[in-house]
């Protein structure tokens, strides 16, 4: 059963004219943006026969990544990664490779089919694409910079 969320007063969702948004208002705005992104990702992943978590893993695989590092990136227990990788591997979307620097480590690598699945998922994320299209070039640059400041890339 679907519930319609209760209406929120303007002060809960938008800072009054001329005032700075509060911490809570920023959190709520970020949460709404993230929820919209994940709804869109879930729907696009389903078209490819994948769960949102499987899609998130594929999207993370821009380079060979150790399974333990994937657990950190996906904020889940390392024991869950084995099952995710098994399912993606069964679909031909990833492969496991020994790390040339440390043969005890197994890297997960997206196959060409996996990279193509990511391209199709991103192309099918219409709501997210429409949201970005509402921004002009300066707005996209500003958003990119602000998001980078919120959660800097640890690998950079």
């Amino acid at each position: 059963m679907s519930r319609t969320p209760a209406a929120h007063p303007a002060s809960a969702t938008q800072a009054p004219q001329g005032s700075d948004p509060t911490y809570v208002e920023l959190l709520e705005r970020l949460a709404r943006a993230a929820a919209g992104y994940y709804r869109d990702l879930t729907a696009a992943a389903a078209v490819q026969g994948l769960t949102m978590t499987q899609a998130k893993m594929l999207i993370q695989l821009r380079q060979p990544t150790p399974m333990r590092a994937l657990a950190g990136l996906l904020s889940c227990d390392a024991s869950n990664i084995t099952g995710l990788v098994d399912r993606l591997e069964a679909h031909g979307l990833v492969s496991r490779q020994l790390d040339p620097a440390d043969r005890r480590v197994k890297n997960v690598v997206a196959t060409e089919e996996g990279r193509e699945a990511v391209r199709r998922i991103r192309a099918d994320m219409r709501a997210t694409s429409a949201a970005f299209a509402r921004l002009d070039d300066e707005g996209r640059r500003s958003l990119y910079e602000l998001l980078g400041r919120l959660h800097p890339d640890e690998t950079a």
Side-chain angles (χ1 to χ4, degrees), residues 56-78 81-82 84-85 88 94-95 106-109:
K56 282 173 52 178
M57 179 184 284
L58 272 177
I59 289 167
Q60 292 295 323
L61 293 175
R62 292 180 294 278
Q63 61 191 23
T65 306
M67 291 178 67
R68 185 167 301 283
L70 277 174
L73 290 169
L74 297 173
S75 300
C76 69
D77 191 83
I81 295 300
T82 301
L84 281 167
V85 172
L88 290 173
V94 302
S95 65
K106 285 195 179 173
N107 287 324
V108 181
V109 179

Side-chain angles (χ1 to χ4, degrees), residues 18-68:
S19 71
D20 291 334
T22 67
Y23 173 74
V24 170
E25 289 166 336
L26 289 169
L27 285 177
E28 289 174 353
R29 179 78 43 107
L30 182 60
R32 274 194 312 280
Y37 169 82
Y38 283 119
R39 273 191 309 274
D40 208 17
L41 176 61
T42 299
V47 170
Q48 300 302 314
L50 300 172
T51 66
M52 186 211 21
T53 304
Q54 290 169 331
K56 282 173 52 178
M57 179 184 284
L58 272 177
I59 289 167
Q60 292 295 323
L61 293 175
R62 292 180 294 278
Q63 61 191 23
T65 306
M67 291 178 67
R68 185 167 301 283

Side-chain angles (χ1 to χ4, degrees), residues 84-156:
L84 281 167
V85 172
D86 287 346
R87 288 185 288 282
L88 290 173
E89 195 170 40
H91 291 300
L93 301 175
V94 302
S95 65
R96 290 178 173 96
Q97 298 176 356
L98 292 176
D99 188 314
D102 184 347
R103 297 184 59 79
R104 297 169 295 176
V105 174
K106 285 195 179 173
N107 287 324
V108 181
V109 179
T111 63
E112 183 52 42
E113 293 85 9
R115 289 187 292 277
E116 181 57 32
V118 170
R119 284 189 285 275
R120 287 191 303 265
I121 288 167
R122 286 184 173 147
D124 201 30
M125 293 181 67
R126 291 181 181 91
T128 301
S129 185
F132 287 139
R134 289 191 294 271
L135 299 174
D136 61 13
D137 290 343
E138 182 180 341
R140 283 190 295 278
R141 280 190 300 273
S142 294
L143 178 61
Y144 183 81
E145 191 271 329
L146 288 169
L147 291 172
R149 286 173 43 197
L150 281 178
H151 292 282
D153 184 0
E154 292 86 23
T155 62

